[in-house]
Amino acid sequence: MGDGAESVVTGINDLRSAQPDQVSFLANAKYEPLAQASRAAAILVSPKDSPKLTCTRIVVESPSFAFGKISALFAPAPIRDEPGIHPSAVVAPDAVIGEGVSIQAHAVIAAGVRLGARSVVGANSFIGEQTTIGDDTRLYPLVTVRERSVIGARVIIHSGAVIGSDGFGYDFDPKTGRHVKITHTGYVQIDDEAEIGANTTVDRGRFGKTHIGEGVKIDNLVMIAH
């Protein structure tokens, strides 16, 4: 909707910074003043907010979601990870490595690990004993996955995350007057299509499992524990 004039769009931007050859979006009514003043070639807007604007606008049910689709058209080409095992990586002889897996520099894959097809293990990451990782899962550099963890398909774990470390559990020994560490025999299970943010920790429990369900998204610097 607009004045009928044609425009060439070469990029995207926020409402305040958008130029006459860029598209922006209005998803929250509190930013309406910015939309009114924006120089954008067009603004994605909901049917409810469209009548409030006089600029050229594209009316969609969800401006934010639609803008995300448009953003992908202008994004740089994704970095492709070459399949194979870097010469500096350490992989246990009994590890099962799926087709098309990429294991990057200085990664360590411990005994009994199973890596699904096309999974990526980033540089300097560690995968502990008897861990299972599903197809198309990506571990960015410097991820630690402790022993016996179960990670599904199409999971993303960002740099610095630690999966399966011991929970913070102690008992007080009355004879010595000291805290005694409790053995944690549980494990972590992360289901398909979950995403774990950078420097987030997901601890194993004293027993049983710490369960991150399918499709769950966890931000950076979060601690998940019992």
Side-chain angles (χ1 to χ4, degrees):
M1 299 178 68
D3 58 11
E6 293 186 359
S7 298
V8 176
V9 173
T10 62
I12 57 174
N13 216 325
D14 62 85
L15 289 168
R16 189 190 304 274
S17 305
Q19 300 300 307
D21 61 346
Q22 296 178 320
V23 170
S24 192
F25 75 106
L26 174 65
N28 189 320
K30 73 178 183 179
Y31 298 114
E32 183 184 328
L34 290 177
Q36 295 285 14
S38 180
R39 301 174 62 203
I43 296 175
L44 278 69
V45 64
S46 69
K48 173 175 64 71
D49 291 328
S50 178
K52 304 174 185 177
L53 303 181
T54 58
C55 60
T56 301
R57 51 212 184 272
I58 303 170
V59 181
V60 293
E61 191 63 33
S62 173
S64 180
F65 182 79
F67 190 73
K69 293 288 188 180
I70 294 173
S71 299
L73 300 176
F74 293 98
I79 296 172
R80 298 190 179 278
D81 299 286
E82 290 296 325
I85 301 173
H86 192 275
S88 66
V90 178
V91 179
D94 65 345
V96 178
I97 310 300
E99 182 180 358
V101 167
S102 176
I103 300 175
Q104 298 176 359
H106 302 290
V108 176
I109 311 298
V113 168
R114 302 180 68 90
L115 295 179
R118 300 171 302 280
S119 56
V120 176
V121 180
N124 293 294
S125 292
F126 171 81
I127 312 298
E129 290 80 355
Q130 301 173 35
T131 289
T132 300
I133 294 177
D135 295 348
D136 300 295
T137 285
R138 173 181 288 274
L139 277 58
Y140 280 96
L142 296 169
V143 167
T144 297
V145 180
R146 288 273 305 274
E147 64 276 7
R148 300 190 307 279
S149 296
V150 178
I151 298 174
R154 301 175 300 283
V155 172
I156 299 172
I157 304 179
H158 289 275
S159 296
V162 179
I163 309 301
S165 59
D166 293 352
F168 190 74
Y170 300 87
D171 274 334
F172 186 76
D173 185 345
K175 293 183 178 179
T176 64
R178 296 177 180 272
H179 287 95
V180 178
K181 184 175 178 64
I182 297 171
T183 300
H184 287 71
T185 61
Y187 66 99
V188 171
Q189 176 178 322
I190 300 175
D191 289 346
D192 296 351
E193 299 182 359
E195 184 163 353
I196 312 298
N199 294 310
T200 284
T201 61
V202 184
D203 290 351
R204 68 180 64 239
R206 185 174 183 177
F207 34 73
K209 66 182 177 184
T210 304
H211 187 194
I212 307 299
E214 181 177 353
V216 168
K217 313 299 182 187
I218 301 174
D219 204 352
N220 303 333
L221 295 168
V222 175
M223 178 181 179
I224 306 294
H226 289 257

